[in-house]
Amino acid sequence: MNKTKRSRFGIAAVFLVALVLFGVFYSGDYVLHVGVLVMINVVLASSLRLINLSGQLSLAHGGFVTLGAYASAVLLTKVGMSSTWLALLISAVLAAVIAVVIGIPFTRLKGIYFTITGIFFVQVIVLTVQQWRSITGGNGGLQGVPRPDSILGIEFASKTSFFMLAIVLMVVSLVILWAIERSRIGMTFLGIKQADSLAESIGINTTVYKVAAFAIGGFFAGLMGGFYVQYVSAVDPTVFGFLPTIYMLIYVIVGGEDSFLGPMVGAALLTILPEVARPLQSWMPLLFAAILMVIIFLLPEGLVGLPHRLVGLLKKRTKEQPDATS
Amino acid sequence: MLRVKGLTKNFGGLKAVGSVDLSIEPGQLVGLIGPNGAGKTTFFNLLTGYLRPSSGKVTFEGKNVTGKKPHYIAGRGMVRSFQQNAIFADFTALENLILAGHIHSGLNCWQAILKTKTCRRREREIYEKAEETLELVGIGDLANAQAGSLAHGHKRMLGIGLALMCEPKLLLLDEPLAGMNIAEVDDTLVLVRRLWEDGLTILLIEHNMRAAMSVCERFLVLNFGRTIAEGTPEEIRSNPEVVKAYLGTAADAA
Amino acid sequence: MGDASILQAVLNGLTSSGQYILVALGLTLVLSIMNIVQLAHGEVYMIGSYVVYYFSTSLGLNFYLSFIIAVVAAGVLGIILERYFLRPFRARPDKAMVLTAGFILVFQNLVLAIATGTPKTYKTPYEGAVLTIGGSALSVERVVIIIVAFVLIAALFLFIRFSRNGQAMEAISQEREGAALQGISVDRLSAIAMFVGCALAGIAGGLVGSLFSLLPTMGGTVLIKGITIIILGGLGSIPGTVIGGLVIGFLDGLIPLFTTQYVASLIGFIIVILILLFRPRGLMGHESP
């Protein structure tokens, strides 16, 4: 038990060092840019999975990202806030607060009814930023959002600097999500997912936990929204609307929602895929849908289950052939 | 300990539970019996917060708990089991009980996330208590089996274990014997008796009259949502109303 | 408001209602039998419009024939989706719902690839025809939508009420397990629900498509309206859906007189949430044991 734990930690550390070294020595802007997007999507998918962990299939995630993105954009371009870091924090906190406010009523609903409310939530957020032109710039969105202030002497101008910042944000986010998941809180989420009225009967305030999962997910979604807008310096109402929310869900399912690694793998592969398969660009949504279906049908545990499956298949081949009497 | 006054539940025009009174003193072992559809489980759901009463009052240890949430009521010490196989199927048997043990762990979320020293000590204690409880309900050897894969009788015992982990003052058991084989029924009755002798107050719903008669000291009989009799086993057995109510389902009662 | 404009408002309200009810009925049928919200239902509606466009405008076929082809195509699509995609996930409604989200991507992008993103329009043979009642001119196109919609609603009622399958659907929507015990084939009913539901969406799309320009993304709003209606109507109740559709359809016509579409959407959203929270069985339902 402890050994696998340690070896997992080792693999994660090696991977992280490799990522940092890559950022230090590689200077191709395009690849670094894709890297930043990958890391944003990794956090989005992982935080969405945390909500799923508590038995709630959420389609509200894009709404929180949009909230976070607009919070930063409005604070920095309209309100005149001077610290980008404060704006980033507010992005995350605002999304979490809204998640609590809507989560208290929403999480009372079970199953598909909870999921439906997410669709409405995203719709309302998108409509709001479209309509509130004086603040949000309407359909055109907001441009010229300043880049993050320099910190510890690091200027955020080059792709490399953003790549590094993305690593920091991603690692911090994932460590927190991981700590929550392996704690009693994560165990309680799983318990609620399996049998929520039983969880109530043993004294678990399921509402508090469900809202907490929703709010923690919302926090990181808002954080990534804020980071995104400070990175690309512009936002419009539909970058994180209904369809992008579906994509986030696809990352989770394709990677494998039962493991912590799953959404990371799903987000990374499906963010990189459209870039390496440029000629297929316009077919990409179809390809995504096809991948989703293949996974749901053939590999319910997601891509992370693939190695295990393959090993199992190989063993079966080599072992069972002699005694294949039946 | 528990006072129920005029507890009523209407579904649309249908009166599922009509003005039931009940009072349980510490240390009692009370049976709640009645034919199928008599409103026993509905009554339990009303007591434990799973349904909101239409009228009436439930007081537990002097506190009004009418219409409170199930987790609140469980936290006060009134803990129930379920008729269906209510377990956390993907967890192991031990994990089931560990999760239930956290209710009185007194840890806040930061301690839990950061795994502080206090947290680790408390978790150790809960772990040990979970192992003891598994032994108590007779499935100590199945600690690491996946709960969903347990045999029916073992699932039922695990369900009782879950309730016991919550340190109940009053334990409400909803047909614990349903679907059990004869040996399991005996084991369960012995367990119930033992818990009671150890000082636990118990309210037991049972469909199996004979089994209930063998353990309980006092009875409440429901039919069509109303109390038709109350008293000692002898009084119940000779009560014409009860006999009449059970006649239609005589086969089940045997 | 004069009599003529009141009549006009009623007509507009009924047109919107009819269209929405046709879409929402499909969602209701699928929800009550299969316990999922078919998220790509708006796309089936969109496909209905495009099929009519393709056959009537691109191939120059007779409009009525194109319309029938569209309806059949939508219904068959429904059967295929049910049989090969949703049926394997009967026990896992969450997975099935993710799949239907995937369908959205498939249908939108297939249509985009085939028909491109430029808005399309087609005409009905009776386009521009006007019916004069009591001094006010009514567009025949709208009258047709109303008549077809309400005839179909009536037909669906009769089907549920009197046919064996219909009664079985009613039974299963009320008590799943009991119905399964009585030997009702959930497979067949699911297929019927998807066929009828998708065909109705196709009819709505085919009829209404002539009033607007077609875009591959046109299904989104319709889905939102449809979900709103089924929530108002009590999630799975057919009479509820009809009433919910009438409410939303008429509000659609009236709202611009009082407030902006945005405020209306917001209010609608809040109402829907309140209903879900306090009357989860909709405006007409009540608590059950």
Side-chain angles (χ1 to χ4, degrees):
Chain A
M1 191 76 184
N2 243 334
K3 211 172 174 185
T4 56
K5 219 184 230 172
R6 206 169 298 157
S7 70
R8 264 189 209 159
F9 179 78
I11 293 171
V14 169
F15 200 76
L16 178 60
V17 170
L19 205 59
V20 172
L21 288 178
F22 181 78
V24 170
F25 292 109
Y26 189 85
S27 56
D29 278 358
Y30 168 68
V31 171
L32 291 176
H33 169 70
V34 174
V36 173
L37 295 184
V38 165
M39 289 188 263
I40 290 176
N41 283 335
V42 161
V43 175
L44 290 179
S46 296
S47 56
L48 178 59
R49 172 174 169 272
L50 185 87
I51 303 174
N52 289 4
L53 217 59
S54 65
Q56 312 183 89
L57 180 68
S58 173
L59 280 178
H61 227 53
F64 296 127
V65 189
T66 310
L67 259 175
Y70 270 93
S72 267
V74 170
L75 285 173
L76 294 171
T77 63
K78 300 274 174 171
V79 179
M81 180 173 279
S82 54
S83 163
T84 59
W85 301 107
L86 185 60
L88 184 64
L89 185 67
I90 292 176
S91 286
V93 172
L94 179 76
V97 168
I98 298 287
V100 170
V101 171
I102 65 166
I104 290 170
F106 283 12
T107 54
R108 287 178 47 174
L109 300 164
K110 297 191 176 153
I112 53 174
Y113 303 116
F114 171 81
T115 309
I116 293 177
T117 59
I119 300 175
F120 280 95
F121 173 65
V122 172
Q123 180 83 351
V124 163
I125 294 290
V126 170
L127 278 171
T128 305
V129 293
Q130 277 173 342
Q131 290 296 318
W132 207 2
R133 287 193 195 88
S134 57
I135 307 273
T136 62
N139 277 322
L142 291 168
Q143 286 80 31
V145 180
R147 306 203 136 174
D149 303 333
S150 61
I151 191 167
L152 304 170
I154 305 164
E155 295 282 339
F156 290 97
S158 67
K159 292 282 178 201
T160 307
S161 59
F162 273 102
F163 188 80
M164 293 303 175
L165 177 58
I167 292 180
V168 172
L169 288 175
M170 176 181 76
V171 168
V172 170
S173 305
L174 292 178
V175 166
I176 295 173
L177 290 169
W178 169 243
I180 292 171
E181 185 175 337
R182 68 162 195 150
S183 76
R184 152 180 85 87
I185 297 169
M187 188 180 184
T188 309
F189 287 158
L190 285 172
I192 292 171
K193 180 180 189 172
Q194 292 168 54
D196 69 341
S197 50
L198 178 64
E200 277 276 334
S201 86
I202 57 170
I204 294 168
N205 188 341
T206 51
T207 312
V208 165
Y209 279 92
K210 285 176 174 179
V211 172
F214 201 49
I216 296 164
F219 179 90
F220 290 107
L223 182 73
M224 286 302 118
F227 172 60
Y228 173 86
V229 84
Q230 292 186 24
Y231 170 54
V232 301
S233 80
V235 64
D236 72 70
T238 54
V239 235
F240 299 107
F242 179 60
L243 283 179
T245 306
I246 301 238
Y247 280 116
M248 294 173 211
L249 189 61
I250 292 179
Y251 299 152
V252 177
I253 305 280
V254 166
E257 59 176 337
D258 292 333
S259 89
F260 190 78
L261 195 61
M264 300 160 69
V265 172
L269 287 181
L270 292 183
T271 312
I272 294 169
L273 181 68
E275 306 298 334
V276 295
R278 284 253 142 185
L280 293 174
Q281 200 70 0
S282 59
W283 294 95
M284 214 30 83
L286 280 175
L287 190 58
F288 270 40
I291 293 173
L292 172 73
M293 288 177 193
V294 168
I295 292 287
I296 288 188
F297 274 95
L298 301 178
L299 209 59
E301 63 274 34
L303 284 177
V304 288
L306 193 58
H308 192 253
R309 272 281 173 102
L310 290 177
V311 171
L313 266 180
L314 279 176
K315 270 188 187 160
K316 228 179 176 180
R317 282 265 168 86
T318 51
K319 256 188 178 175
E320 279 189 6
Q321 248 166 9
D323 51 36
T325 43
S326 60
Chain B
M1 180 173 236
L2 176 72
R3 300 250 175 289
V4 181
K5 197 122 192 72
L7 199 62
T8 303
K9 179 67 185 178
N10 301 316
F11 291 119
L14 191 81
K15 197 164 256 181
V17 171
S19 195
V20 173
D21 295 337
L22 172 69
S23 137
I24 297 181
E25 300 307 325
Q28 287 189 322
L29 171 45
V30 180
L32 177 65
I33 56 174
N36 268 336
K40 291 169 299 193
T41 297
T42 308
F43 181 67
F44 252 35
N45 286 337
L46 292 171
L47 289 187
T48 49
Y50 281 89
L51 283 172
R52 197 176 281 272
S54 307
S55 65
K57 195 172 170 189
V58 182
T59 330
F60 182 68
E61 293 195 311
K63 266 211 168 67
N64 183 1
V65 296
T66 323
K68 290 275 193 292
K69 290 276 182 79
H71 69 85
Y72 173 85
I73 293 172
R76 299 235 72 80
M78 179 149 79
V79 185
R80 71 173 297 176
S81 75
F82 288 86
Q83 208 180 116
Q84 255 66 45
N85 284 322
I87 45 160
F88 301 105
D90 296 342
F91 287 159
T92 64
L94 192 63
E95 283 172 336
N96 266 270
L97 297 195
I98 289 174
L99 180 59
H102 278 299
I103 173 180
H104 290 299
S105 71
L107 295 169
N108 65 35
C109 61
W110 300 117
Q111 289 170 316
I113 293 173
L114 298 174
K115 296 247 178 198
T116 59
K117 221 170 181 177
T118 343
C119 167
R120 267 182 252 170
R121 201 188 61 234
R122 281 296 296 145
E123 287 188 343
R124 188 73 225 162
E125 287 164 16
I126 291 168
Y127 183 90
E128 280 159 14
K129 191 179 165 209
E131 284 187 322
E132 283 167 27
T133 308
L134 275 183
E135 290 293 341
L136 179 68
V137 298
I139 50 173
D141 50 334
L142 296 169
N144 293 317
Q146 201 203 10
S149 66
L150 293 177
H152 176 80
H154 293 150
K155 283 182 184 162
R156 304 300 314 260
M157 296 313 268
L158 183 60
I160 296 176
L162 278 174
L164 290 177
M165 282 299 287
C166 303
E167 299 174 11
K169 294 171 186 157
L170 171 63
L171 179 64
L172 306 170
L173 296 174
D174 192 353
E175 300 210 13
L177 308 179
M180 283 187 166
N181 63 36
I182 296 169
E184 288 167 344
V185 166
D186 286 344
D187 289 348
T188 310
L189 289 176
V190 168
L191 174 67
V192 169
R193 196 83 196 180
R194 175 167 168 203
L195 291 171
W196 175 60
E197 282 162 6
D198 288 349
L200 193 57
T201 314
I202 300 174
L203 175 60
L204 174 79
I205 290 190
E206 198 37 75
H207 190 69
N208 181 335
M209 261 260 252
R210 181 180 296 172
M213 287 287 174
S214 72
V215 288
C216 297
E217 44 164 11
R218 197 161 71 80
F219 284 95
L220 181 75
V221 189
L222 291 186
N223 197 17
F224 298 114
R226 296 189 167 276
T227 311
I228 57 169
E230 203 180 345
T232 62
E234 292 71 39
E235 288 167 359
I236 297 300
R237 225 169 299 190
S238 56
N239 186 311
E241 282 262 20
V242 178
V243 176
K244 207 168 79 187
Y246 266 93
L247 263 183
T249 52
D252 300 330
Chain C
M1 247 198 290
D3 283 353
S5 58
I6 289 176
L7 189 64
Q8 200 62 50
V10 170
L11 191 73
N12 288 342
L14 284 175
T15 316
S16 311
S17 304
Q19 167 204 356
Y20 294 155
I21 293 171
L22 288 180
V23 173
L25 280 175
L27 286 172
T28 298
L29 285 175
V30 172
L31 176 69
S32 59
I33 308 294
M34 302 163 70
N35 205 16
I36 57 165
V37 174
Q38 209 275 87
L39 293 175
H41 204 62
E43 275 58 46
V44 178
Y45 164 93
M46 177 269 292
I47 287 171
S49 300
Y50 268 94
V51 172
V52 174
Y53 159 79
Y54 183 73
F55 282 97
S56 69
T57 305
S58 301
L59 295 186
L61 226 61
N62 173 306
F63 168 79
Y64 300 103
L65 192 59
S66 313
F67 181 72
I68 290 168
I69 294 173
V71 175
V72 173
V76 170
L77 179 65
I79 290 186
I80 294 172
L81 294 182
E82 193 281 326
R83 178 66 190 83
Y84 296 103
F85 294 92
L86 303 180
R87 188 174 295 181
F89 296 98
R90 169 109 8 98
R92 292 293 306 271
D94 56 328
K95 294 252 168 180
M97 217 157 132
V98 173
L99 270 179
T100 65
F103 296 157
I104 298 180
L105 299 182
V106 174
F107 296 146
Q108 278 192 10
N109 290 284
L110 273 181
V111 171
L112 184 68
I114 296 167
T116 75
T118 40
K120 308 285 189 213
T121 52
Y122 59 85
K123 291 183 167 62
T124 54
Y126 43 87
E127 197 222 3
V130 164
L131 206 65
T132 317
I133 299 174
S136 57
L138 307 177
S139 141
V140 172
E141 270 186 316
R142 285 174 185 273
V143 174
V144 168
I145 293 174
I146 297 169
I147 293 173
V148 171
F150 286 92
V151 165
L152 285 171
I153 293 163
L156 188 70
F157 264 104
L158 293 177
F159 169 72
I160 298 285
R161 187 93 203 170
F162 295 108
S163 83
R164 236 186 76 83
N165 285 329
Q167 288 168 344
M169 286 170 102
E170 176 86 0
I172 207 171
S173 73
Q174 302 200 335
E175 199 191 346
R176 220 164 295 276
E177 284 162 35
L181 284 178
Q182 285 157 28
I184 295 172
S185 158
V186 183
D187 284 349
R188 193 177 59 189
L189 295 186
S190 299
I192 294 175
M194 278 293 279
F195 174 78
V196 174
C198 290
L200 289 176
I203 291 171
L207 284 175
V208 179
S210 65
L211 301 178
F212 311 105
S213 322
L214 313 187
L215 280 172
T217 51
M218 67 197 265
T221 2
V222 179
L223 175 73
I224 296 276
K225 295 274 187 207
I227 295 179
T228 309
I229 289 168
I230 63 171
I231 291 171
L232 278 177
L235 296 160
S237 147
I238 289 174
T241 304
V242 174
I243 292 169
L246 286 168
V247 171
I248 297 292
F250 274 92
L251 283 183
D252 246 25
L254 293 175
I255 276 161
L257 304 177
F258 303 106
T259 174
T260 64
Q261 200 61 44
Y262 167 63
V263 176
S265 304
L266 215 56
I267 294 172
F269 173 68
I270 292 166
I271 291 175
V272 161
I273 297 299
L274 289 178
I275 289 177
L276 275 176
L277 289 174
F278 297 108
R279 304 231 57 174
R281 304 244 126 218
L283 294 174
M284 303 173 65
H286 50 71
E287 196 184 9
S288 69

